[in-house]
Amino acid sequence: MVEVYKFGGSSLKNAEGIRNLRQIVADVDQCLVLVVSALGKTTNALEEVVQASFEPTNTWRQKLDSIQEFHEIIASDLLPEPDVFLDTILRPSFDALARKLEDPPAGSFDFVYDQVVSMGEIWSTLLIHHYLVATGLDFRFIDIREYLITDSNYREGRVAWDQSGFLIRKGFACTGKEKYITQGFIAGAENGYATTLGREGSDYTAAILAYILNAQQVTIWKDVPGVMNADPEDYPHPKKLVEIPYQEAIELAFFGAKVIHPKTIKPLYNKKIPLWVKSYKDASGEGTLIHEMEQAPKLIPVFVRKRNQVLISILPRDLSFVIDEGLGRIFNQIDTHKVKVNLIQNSAVSISLCVDRFDERVERLISELSMDFKVLHNTNVELITIRHYTDESIREMISGKTILIEQKTRSTVNYVIKTG
Ligand code: ADP
Ligand code: ASP
Ligand code: MG
């Protein structure tokens, strides 16, 4: 029997969080695969290092120093004898990265991104592994870059399932009560370089490992009591959903409920592996169970808000019908530039896309499309979704807001609204 646990950055932002993780894993009495993210907001900070390393100044060094200091403070607070770990493991690893960054970037932005950003998960697992072993728990460290293999689609690696399955079943042998710790979010390409699975992808790693190892269940430990009917950061008194079917979880994750990464559900659904979302602050709490349900439960309205969206409107220059003339070309460009589309709406002569944050991919897409079409874009928008909406929930959500797009099905309503 295999159990998979995943701890994210929010549960690992200080030494206390890691002590708490230890308490939770110490209770497990069967084979355990522990998947861990980078500590706190390390991934964001490493993204800034990558960005800076492509600029002519040396500001990446100062940014990397602060990340190192953050890790050293936690290690010193946590480990009984931190010096050995710091001198022989952590500092040499930071030094090696700094030496690489001193040279001009060797490769595309996405390639360099994965080589640098993946180190966040390596440092966190090295530190947590060291601590678990130093405090008497027999965990084995697995560098997932050698087991979970993806193609070279940097920043959104696509899993090579057969190859990974073979390696993972060998690496994570579960015949009794073995304990393994490994990294979420990162993987390796066949050429030996690191890849990543997309931001917030550690939940997905937990699901991939559970699928391959035929785990009994997966638990993702979060800073919330479970999946709520709204993000507690936005709404003061959300209600917890006790159990939901896989289909519901996919919809919520797709529209932006960041409590679960959208890719997590499919591998679990394919083998009907239950997923628990529980609070690391209250490990004995019931959490939310996501599983196969014969009858979908009657759910209360669930609110999802996806911030930092971009609304792109594409119009043929000569008022020809966009569906006839350009749809194929438009979708081709979206695919080429790997832009994530959250909502599409068309009229006779225009097509509107609501996509994730304005980054270099969106910029490239817009400039490419502008060669053939008139393209307008608005960055001050967000996407609001209500599942199982009622008239009252709609009123509550959108009153006083400027709606740019509305889309309604029987179970879901989406609004693209103006924020500025
Ligand atoms: P981790 O670092 O552990 O992966 P995340 O920060 O990615 O954790 O996800 C947990 C966060 O998801 C919560 O702090 C909460 O603000 C947010 N969230 C968004 N929508 C929901 C929801 N419907 N239910 C619970 N949490 C939600
Ligand atoms: N550390 C990665 C990120 O912040 C992966 C994760 O947390 O799931 O995106
Ligand atoms: Mg997350």
Side-chain angles (χ1 to χ4, degrees):
M1 296 273 228
V2 188
E3 171 115 30
V4 178
Y5 277 6
K6 179 258 165 171
F7 285 82
S10 50
S11 60
L12 306 169
K13 49 179 184 279
N14 51 32
E16 194 195 327
I18 300 174
R19 282 190 204 105
N20 185 53
L21 168 148
R22 186 193 180 282
Q23 254 185 357
I24 294 174
V25 301
D27 280 346
V28 179
D29 196 30
Q30 63 185 59
C31 185
L32 175 68
V33 174
L34 171 61
V35 177
V36 173
S37 307
L39 303 183
K41 302 249 180 253
T42 300
T43 307
N44 290 355
L46 281 169
E47 281 189 341
E48 286 187 24
V49 170
V50 179
Q51 195 69 49
S53 76
F54 276 78
E55 287 158 12
T57 58
N58 262 343
T59 52
W60 62 264
R61 191 176 286 279
Q62 201 189 340
K63 294 177 194 292
L64 188 62
D65 284 347
S66 333
I67 301 174
Q68 180 167 351
E69 196 189 352
F70 171 64
H71 283 73
E72 290 201 10
I73 290 172
I74 296 182
S76 304
D77 187 347
L78 196 61
L79 299 175
E81 287 174 38
D83 287 344
V84 181
F85 175 75
L86 292 176
D87 290 340
T88 63
I89 297 177
L90 195 71
R91 287 176 187 146
S93 177
F94 271 94
D95 290 346
L97 178 58
R99 274 196 302 278
K100 277 192 208 142
L101 289 168
E102 271 161 15
D103 295 330
S108 69
F109 184 89
D110 289 357
F111 169 79
V112 174
Y113 177 103
D114 277 2
Q115 309 322 303
V116 176
V117 166
S118 58
M119 292 310 295
E121 270 64 16
I122 297 294
W123 297 322
S124 75
T125 45
L126 285 171
L127 170 56
I128 295 170
H129 176 247
H130 206 84
Y131 167 68
L132 294 174
V133 172
T135 54
L137 297 184
D138 183 16
F139 268 79
R140 209 185 124 195
F141 180 91
I142 293 211
D143 185 336
I144 201 75
R145 293 173 297 185
E146 292 164 22
Y147 295 83
L148 178 54
I149 309 301
T150 67
D151 62 7
S152 301
N153 190 34
Y154 296 106
R155 288 179 75 182
E156 184 101 38
R158 287 173 290 234
V159 175
W161 287 94
D162 288 345
Q163 203 182 349
S164 303
F166 174 75
L167 293 168
I168 286 168
R169 276 188 293 273
K170 258 174 65 175
F172 295 80
C174 271
T175 52
K177 297 181 181 176
E178 297 87 345
K179 308 277 184 286
Y180 297 97
I181 174 169
T182 196
Q183 305 78 26
F185 173 58
I186 72 172
E190 259 190 78
N191 58 19
Y193 285 103
T195 57
T196 60
L197 304 175
R199 283 304 307 265
E200 303 289 335
S202 296
D203 298 342
Y204 181 38
T205 306
I208 296 168
L209 296 178
Y211 175 87
I212 290 172
L213 299 169
N214 288 321
Q216 195 188 357
Q217 57 182 21
V218 177
T219 308
I220 51 179
W221 296 93
K222 298 273 170 176
D223 58 353
V224 282
V227 179
M228 317 296 282
N229 81 324
D231 186 342
E233 274 190 11
D234 292 333
Y235 304 95
H237 303 294
K239 294 195 181 76
K240 196 187 76 178
L241 308 175
V242 176
E243 58 174 344
I244 51 175
Y246 293 110
Q247 167 84 24
E248 186 65 34
I250 285 205
E251 295 281 352
L252 296 180
F254 175 81
F255 285 119
K258 86 165 195 152
V259 64
I260 308 170
H261 186 278
K263 285 186 174 170
T264 312
I265 304 298
K266 190 174 156 203
L268 300 179
Y269 169 73
N270 284 344
K271 286 205 175 161
K272 306 288 182 279
I273 300 170
L275 170 65
W276 289 93
V277 179
K278 289 193 179 185
S279 168
Y280 61 81
K281 298 171 180 167
D282 173 23
S284 57
E286 284 204 333
T288 297
L289 175 60
I290 298 162
H291 64 153
E292 175 86 332
M293 295 176 74
E294 293 214 332
Q295 220 174 0
K298 181 134 186 48
L299 289 175
I300 53 173
V302 183
F303 304 94
V304 186
R305 192 168 164 188
K306 218 168 165 59
R307 293 191 168 81
N308 300 324
Q309 298 289 287
V310 188
L311 184 62
I312 304 175
S313 301
I314 305 158
L315 307 96
R317 293 192 190 279
D318 57 359
L319 278 197
S320 54
F321 295 120
V322 73
I323 296 293
D324 293 342
E325 305 293 322
L327 217 49
R329 263 181 295 159
I330 294 170
F331 282 108
N332 230 324
Q333 290 297 341
I334 292 171
D335 189 46
T336 307
H337 295 286
K338 298 185 210 149
V339 169
K340 290 231 167 78
V341 178
N342 299 317
L343 183 135
I344 303 178
Q345 184 150 301
N346 72 285
S347 75
V349 291
S350 78
I351 178 158
S352 300
L353 311 172
C354 182
V355 306
D356 277 345
R357 73 198 170 114
F358 193 80
D359 60 10
E360 66 290 341
R361 293 175 184 192
V362 173
E363 217 170 324
R364 283 197 294 257
L365 173 68
I366 292 176
S367 93
E368 197 81 33
L369 287 172
S370 302
M371 292 191 208
D372 292 331
F373 303 95
K374 182 172 169 197
V375 184
L376 310 168
H377 75 273
N378 188 343
T379 48
N380 295 322
V381 300
E382 59 184 43
L383 176 63
I384 289 184
T385 301
I386 314 175
R387 294 271 299 158
H388 317 289
Y389 58 86
T390 56
D391 289 346
E392 195 195 334
S393 62
I394 290 179
R395 264 197 308 280
E396 197 183 314
M397 215 40 210
I398 60 161
S399 69
K401 304 213 161 86
T402 308
I403 297 167
L404 302 176
I405 290 184
E406 173 180 335
Q407 248 177 36
K408 234 178 196 175
T409 67
R410 267 194 308 169
S411 57
T412 310
V413 60
N414 302 106
Y415 295 100
V416 177
I417 59 157
K418 233 175 138 172
T419 54

